[in-house]
Structures are given as structure tokens and as C-alpha cells.
Amino acid sequence: MLWGELWQQTLRTLWANKLRSLLTMFGIAWGIASITLLVAGCEGMLVGFQHAKEAFGKDIMIVFAGRTSLQVGGTRAGRLIRFHDGDAELIMETCPACNHVTPELGNSTIARSPYNNGRFLVTGAYPIFAKIRSLAVAEGRFYNEEEVRTGRRVCFLGAEVKKQLFGTRPAVGERIILGDFPYTVIGVMRKKDQDSSYDGMDVSKVFVPFGAVRRDFPDPPPNPKYTLDRLIVTPRSEETHEACVRQLRQALARKYGFEPRDEEAVGIWDTLEEAKMIKQMIDGMKYFLGAVGLTTLILGGIGVMNIMLVSVKERTREIGVRRAVGATKRNILAQFFSEALALVLVSGGVGLLAGWGFCWLVNRLPMPRYFAGMLVTPSAGLVALALLGAVGLLAGMYPARQAAQVQPVEALRYEAC
């Protein structure tokens, strides 16, 4: 039998039992659509989380000084640790697994422009801070190494600071008063969504060179001079992350005399570890919900198998007649297998298109914060097609083999009875 004739006969048979075929196909379509939607939703959650984390800072560690919790070298536990100028350079020199390090220091002060005023956090760091903390430039530029070295009085405004001090007026090149000192605005930050922070949202800060904040906005007494609020560190890669943490703790422990494994002495907000945990959680949801959809798909496959077995019984005489006029077991096998495969592939294709179409419609709507939409990835589509093929193979092979085993004489006798 030619393939064209085989598929024509298959379609005629399915069309002759339209209602039964449609009801059988619904289970397959629902299962494949469920898998598509559930996986797409989880993927949108994961991408949305990654975007939120990258807005805060990609693959960074916020390092805080704390109090020792372990005795070491005859010193008591509970000793206060304070970071100092030069710690960033120490880490860069002694920690090859770490890529970027910058100190950070800041204090709240009054900022005044010719048009308005307000109290904001003035924070200072090295120029690399803009890159590792994802401070995108909307106007002008961020400060540079020379301005840090000389402590030049220039500033980079957060989006909300610019809005409050200047409204819709241009700010770059204008002068503002920070505390008692005149500063020139050299840039404005692009507005960004930020889901977390350790000292306030970046859009509400004024960023100045580290040397300037050290000179003009020192910590008030009784705080010692030349201390830092924190260090911002990035590893060279995800693979060197653990080595960077270990080397960083060892370098600071040698300088300040505490046990390297004392996590209370130096606290680290590790966004890489946090991202890994969130990804594991969302992947777990994806696998669980995908398993629910897969169960529905398997049940639909069982329905196809059941219907095809009923069809074999109903068409026993037809099988006998075809065998009597020369049809081989292979012809019968191909006929019934193609019918089951057609049911599965057509219904699966409809379910896949329905799932993609629903994702497309949802993505036309405004998305909730930190949700990237219903994202259908190529890998998810390939997995869905592979599952579809497997279900079609399993659902069609057994009924087709049963049909092929029918003997012509027994088939004719069975029908005659």
C-alpha cells in the first residue's frame, strides 16, 4: 500500500467516527497545551527574577564587617571588625579568583538645586561600581579614576533625585549643593526596577567619587576615620565563585586577626548563592508542573490506545476481508498504527498551537513586576514534540499489533456469529 493511499484511508476512517475521534484528541491536546503553558510560566518567572537580580547587580557579593564569634590567637570573641581604606587593594592583590573589588562609603545629607531640595544618601565608590551595580547612564557619564584620585566634586544623580531636584529640566552641567559643598552634575542614571537593597534604592542616591565622599562626608564621631561601610566584590566567573569567597575571607582574616571560617566576623550577602537557590526552586516547580502535564498527556495516550482497541474489535470482519484478498500483516499494522499516530499528532499539534497562542496573547498584556511573561523556549518545544512522538508510538503500536494478529478465517467466523 502506498503512503498516500494509507493516509487517505486513515483520514476517511477517522472522519467516519468524528465525535469519537474529537473526544479522544481532546485529552492529548489538553496535555500538550498544559505542559507548554506550565513550563512557559515557570520560564517567565525565572527570567523575571534574573532581570531583577541583574538590576541590583550581576553576580556580586556585598561584604559587611561584623563581630567575631570565635576565639583565635588569644583574642576574645565578640571583637568588632571594621574595614579600612586599602582593603579593596589588598583583596585585588591577594585574591586571584576575585575580579572586581570596590569600597563603598556613604552618608545622608541635604541636596539643594536652584529649583528644589531634599535629603538623600550620598555614596562614594570606585568607577567600577557603575558596572557591577548596573547603574545605566541616561544622560552624561559616571565619574572616572582621575576624579576619584583627586576627589573632584562631581556627582551622578539617581533618577528620582534628578526628578526631585530638577523636574523635567536638564541636570547635566548644573551645580547643586551637597551639605555645604558645591558639586557639578556630570550624569543622570537611567530609571531601573530594583527588588532589593542594603541601604536604599539606587534611584534615590547621589553618587560621588570615593575621595570626595571620604573628605566631605566622613562618618561622624565617635566612628574612627578611614573606615568603610562595606566592600563590593565580584568573582572572575561562576566557577571561581567559591574560591573567591574563600580567598577573600582568608585575606581579611590575616589582616584583622580572626578565624577565616568565622562567618559572623565578615558577613557576605552572596547574590550568586541566592540566584542558585531561586533557580533550583523555580526548576523544581517547572519539573513538578511539567509532570502534572505529562500525566495528563499519558492519560490521553491511554485513551487513544483504548479507542484503537475498540476499533480493532469493531473492524474484525474488515480486517478478515482485507487479509483474505491479500493484505499482509504489515499492511494491517501500518493502517491501525497510522490511525493512532494521526490522532496523537493532530491533537498534539492543535494543543501546541493553542498553548503558543495563549502565551502570545498573555504577552500582549502588561506584565506583573518581575515576571517576564509566558516564555516558550526551543528546548521546551522540542521536549513537547518528543513526548508527543513517544505517546503516539506507545498508544498506536499495541492496538496495531493486535489488529495484525487477527487470522482471516477466525475474523470472518467471528463476524458471522
Side-chain angles (χ1 to χ4, degrees), residues 225-413:
K225 291 183 178 180
Y226 308 116
T227 57
L228 302 173
D229 291 340
R230 64 198 68 88
L231 296 164
I232 315 296
V233 183
T234 65
R236 292 196 177 278
S237 66
E238 189 172 336
E239 290 72 27
T240 63
H241 161 245
E242 292 184 4
C244 176
V245 174
R246 184 176 62 255
Q247 293 170 8
L248 181 151
R249 288 190 179 279
Q250 290 172 347
L252 294 174
R254 283 193 300 269
K255 179 174 180 179
Y256 294 107
F258 63 85
E259 174 63 42
R261 58 190 174 86
D262 188 351
E263 296 186 359
E264 297 296 323
V266 171
I268 299 178
W269 179 2
D270 195 336
T271 63
L272 272 81
E273 286 297 327
E274 187 177 273
K276 287 179 183 177
M277 289 189 293
I278 295 295
K279 185 178 185 303
Q280 289 174 354
M281 181 183 70
I282 294 178
D283 283 346
M285 291 174 56
K286 185 191 299 184
Y287 297 142
F288 172 75
L289 295 175
V292 173
L294 177 60
T295 302
T296 304
L297 186 61
I298 291 173
L299 291 175
I302 292 173
V304 171
M305 184 183 296
N306 184 52
I307 290 300
M308 292 308 300
L309 288 172
V310 171
S311 180
V312 170
K313 285 290 185 182
E314 291 178 347
R315 296 162 62 187
T316 302
R317 180 174 176 78
E318 175 192 331
I319 295 170
V321 170
R322 290 188 59 193
R323 291 293 307 279
V325 297
T328 65
K329 289 184 177 182
R330 186 174 181 179
N331 295 142
I332 302 299
L333 181 71
Q335 175 63 41
F336 280 84
F337 183 74
S338 66
E339 290 178 17
L341 197 60
L343 281 173
V344 171
L345 293 180
V346 172
S347 57
V350 170
L352 202 59
L353 291 175
W356 287 347
F358 186 79
C359 291
W360 182 85
L361 289 174
V362 169
N363 292 340
R364 304 279 75 77
L365 302 174
M367 291 295 109
R369 196 179 184 190
Y370 311 130
F371 179 63
M374 305 288 287
L375 303 182
V376 180
T377 61
S379 59
L382 291 174
V383 169
L385 290 175
L387 291 174
L388 194 59
V391 169
L393 183 66
L394 296 175
M397 185 56 69
Y398 180 71
R401 287 176 62 85
Q402 291 294 103
Q405 297 300 323
V406 175
Q407 298 298 321
V409 175
E410 294 178 2
L412 294 172
R413 184 185 302 119

Side-chain angles (χ1 to χ4, degrees), residues 179-192:
D180 299 324
F181 307 100
Y183 275 74
T184 301
V185 179
I186 60 171
V188 176
M189 189 182 81
R190 185 185 304 163
K191 187 175 178 61
K192 70 172 181 178

Side-chain angles (χ1 to χ4, degrees), residues 128-173:
I128 194 63
F129 185 87
K131 177 182 178 180
I132 63 179
R133 282 295 318 281
S134 304
L135 304 183
V137 177
E139 305 172 42
R141 63 178 178 84
F142 202 70
Y143 52 79
N144 57 38
E145 295 284 355
E146 177 64 19
E147 289 161 340
V148 170
R149 187 181 64 81
T150 59
R152 188 178 171 194
R153 288 182 173 132
V154 294
C155 63
F156 182 82
L157 304 183
E160 291 299 320
V161 177
K162 187 266 181 184
K163 181 178 179 181
Q164 183 167 337
L165 294 182
F166 291 94
T168 58
R169 304 175 186 88
V172 176

